[in-house]
Amino acid sequence: MGYVYDDQNIFAKILRGEIPNTTVLETEHCLAFHDIYAQAPEHVLVIPKGPYVCFDHFSNMASAEEIVDFTRAIGQVALALKVDPGNGGDGYRLLANTGKNGVQDVPHLHVHLVAGRPLGRMLRNN
Ligand code: AMP
């Protein structure tokens, strides 16, 4: 099957500057910005600039440099938000919704970093 990247997705438009965003951090290979429908006091999306549909696409196809940059960018966002436990922060949750069962709405890899309140157990039966 492979991956087909739709360059008309909303995050591709953000990366091209066609849609505004509230940037938290930009690196050579990544952009982090506030989620427009925040579900917690802090809700930031971290995306690679490359055309990757989802996490497994990225982890299989991205360069080592991109993968390191993405991983470090997520950590830097936690630092910028002062939620990293290593510096006394109250912690956060990372989520990467993927595909149909993961209920991924935007087909460009993004990690949600949510924080700022107790987030409850991860998955409840529903
Ligand atoms: P997902 O369901 O994991 O694909 O999440 C997509 C996320 O993108 C949702 O949390 C949306 O609120 C968020 N979102 C959609 N459009 C925008 C936008 N223009 N700027 C920032 N976040 C957005």
Side-chain angles (χ1 to χ4, degrees):
M1 274 280 287
Y3 304 96
V4 178
Y5 182 79
D6 170 14
D7 70 1
Q8 293 306 305
N9 78 76
I10 198 143
F11 295 165
K13 291 179 180 178
I14 284 176
L15 287 167
R16 290 195 295 267
E18 296 167 10
I19 290 178
N21 76 92
T22 311
T23 299
V24 174
L25 179 88
E26 182 166 9
T27 66
E28 183 179 358
H29 295 291
C30 300
L31 183 68
F33 53 92
H34 289 287
D35 194 293
I36 203 165
Y37 300 116
Q39 296 191 39
E42 303 285 4
H43 188 166
V44 172
L45 301 172
V46 188
I47 68 173
K49 291 180 178 174
Y52 302 105
V53 174
C54 58
F55 191 83
D56 50 284
H57 187 195
F58 181 73
S59 69
N60 286 318
M61 304 300 290
S63 67
E65 193 184 338
E66 290 175 294
I67 291 170
V68 168
D69 189 88
F70 187 62
T71 305
R72 291 209 192 281
I74 293 169
Q76 285 168 16
V77 170
L79 289 176
L81 298 177
K82 300 189 184 342
V83 296
D84 51 316
N87 286 308
D90 287 331
Y92 55 91
R93 180 168 294 155
L94 302 176
L95 284 167
N97 296 322
T98 305
K100 182 163 59 84
N101 281 2
V103 194
Q104 179 179 5
D105 290 324
V106 180
H108 182 115
L109 169 61
H110 49 286
V111 166
H112 298 252
L113 189 158
V114 289
R117 64 170 170 79
L119 297 163
R121 292 272 167 205
M122 189 172 66
L123 291 176
R124 297 190 182 281
N125 293 330
N126 54 20

